[in-house]
Amino acid sequence: MSNELIVLILCVFASVKSQQRHLLVEEDLALQVQKLTERLIKLEDCVKQRGVAFTATLGDHRTNLTLHEILHYDHVMTNEGNSFSGVTGMFTAPYDGVYVFDVTIGVNGNGATDVSIVKNGVYLQRVYGHATTNWETATASVTVHLNAEDHVYVKNSNYNHGLIGHDLTTFSGFMVQPDCAL
């Protein structure tokens, strides 16, 4: 084989290798653009998940609660995201994420009332209030991960001396952080 033929073969080989490297770089860039686009879509979805918060209160006193009765609230003060129903007393999670719930109960004098924060039928936290004179309040909070469509509510647990209204008995919740794995 002549030197000229060898040089020509080497040039063609180098050109083919260069084109292959160029194609690999283009494919890699296309893959990176696709991954960044997917992350951007997830981030946009995550930003849309803001604004979940509620506070509801009892305006009227409640007496004669039955065992395991779900509390219904007649005054919904805040309902960002429309995820709380005062009629049913239930919060329904619109998104997967971490949420915080607070319950305060007002208890009439010389009695005790015991309620629980419940997620899908599972007790999360109890609130026990006991008043020896006039009235007292008791509060509990819980932080919990919820999946979309999970239900959280407050129900009478055990003792039933009634609950004071006048917006002293409250149920509040808000989303701390949506699940946005990027």
Side-chain angles (χ1 to χ4, degrees), residues 85-154:
S85 169
V87 174
T88 65
M90 289 199 183
F91 171 81
T92 303
Y95 312 109
D96 295 353
V98 176
Y99 293 79
V100 172
F101 296 95
D102 299 301
V103 172
T104 298
I105 58 174
V107 180
N108 286 318
N110 297 319
T113 299
D114 181 13
V115 300
S116 296
I117 304 171
V118 179
K119 170 190 165 188
N120 299 331
V122 177
Y123 288 89
L124 298 176
Q125 182 69 45
R126 292 181 89 166
V127 185
Y128 174 80
H130 182 258
T132 54
T133 60
N134 296 328
W135 57 272
E136 297 287 336
T137 60
T139 301
S141 300
V142 65
T143 302
V144 62
H145 183 274
L146 299 178
N147 294 317
E149 302 303 319
D150 280 348
H151 298 286
V152 177
Y153 49 93
V154 178

Side-chain angles (χ1 to χ4, degrees), residues 49-68:
Q49 296 178 12
R50 303 285 184 219
V52 178
F54 74 93
T55 296
T57 67
L58 287 181
D60 297 324
H61 298 319
R62 293 289 311 276
T63 57
N64 302 319
L65 296 170
T66 60
L67 186 61
H68 305 299

